Amino acid sequence: MVEIASTDRVFILTGAGISAESGIPTFRGEGGLWRSYRVEEVGTPEAFRRDPRLVWEFYSMRRRVASAAKPNPGHVALAKLERALEDRLFLCTQNVDSLHEQAGSKRVTHMHGELFKSRCDSCRRAPFDDANTYEPPAEIPRCECGGRIRPHICWFGEVPFDLDRIFQALEECTVFVAVGTSGVVEPAASFVAHVRRRARTIYVGPEEPANKFAFTECHLGKAGEMLPNLFPG
Ligand code: APR
């Protein structure tokens, strides 16, 4: 169990691993998405400019898979922890699915965007809820301004969202927990190094992450099994 004192402020970073038991593939593990798709073809602004249809096929497939997924006990444990800690918990996820919210988490910071939102690639229209799939022969959706509608996802080479709020929460935290993330994609992979001199640093996942040396505690196991025991609420 992770002891949390009444003065502790907890920062939790989740990655694709927390959604693995819900049936959403990770990126780099067995059966990972980057094993069957090339990032350069579906995960960059250049890819979208070059072949928006292929990019929308990829995100339409991800919307279908995520729509069929349900939160697992790992998501539920973190939603319970939020109810116990209230504003002393900051939940930052690299995931674009909505399983944290479906499990009851009210304050979720999606630093890599949200799968069920789209936005215009040209004008400053705000991102909007969109669970539609766009695959041939459907046309690429267009904005009133004439621009192409794109997934509201942070692609490689783009700046993640809410970094100022995230770094503020990192400054304040006394306990940092990373769950189900391989620790290879920046800036999230460096969050633990940013806090390790003044916060307890805990990793939860079935295998050691690439940035394992920055963690003081590693709990090896699946999120859905470990989190309810680590944070019994
Ligand atoms: N419970 C917890 N962790 C798990 C589980 C599980 N049941 N199954 C797998 N994992 C772990 C793996 O050991 C791995 O460390 O989840 C991690 C998944 O790593 P990645 O696939 O690299 O996913 P992530 O770290 O979230 O990727 C970061 O890269 O492609 C970009 O934008 C994308 O947000 C993503 C970012």
Side-chain angles (χ1 to χ4, degrees), residues 14-22 25-29 32-34 39 59 62 72 93-96 111-112 153-156 179-186 188 203-210 221-227:
T14 61
I18 196 170
S19 296
E21 289 154 90
S22 298
T26 61
F27 292 96
R28 294 170 183 84
L33 285 173
W34 298 146
V39 173
Y59 284 96
R62 294 186 66 189
N72 65 59
T93 186
Q94 299 171 92
N95 300 340
V96 294
M111 64 181 289
H112 289 165
I153 296 285
C154 176
W155 283 326
F156 284 95
V179 182
T181 178
S182 56
V184 299
V185 174
E186 296 298 350
Y203 183 74
V204 181
E207 53 200 341
E208 291 179 334
K222 293 182 175 182
E225 294 164 11
M226 304 292 286
L227 291 178

Side-chain angles (χ1 to χ4, degrees), residues 4-43:
I4 297 174
S6 58
T7 50
D8 279 324
R9 300 186 70 86
V10 179
F11 187 110
I12 297 198
L13 172 69
T14 61
I18 196 170
S19 296
E21 289 154 90
S22 298
I24 297 183
T26 61
F27 292 96
R28 294 170 183 84
E30 280 305 301
L33 285 173
W34 298 146
R35 297 236 188 277
S36 26
Y37 292 88
R38 287 167 47 79
V39 173
E40 304 73 34
E41 290 175 344
V42 295

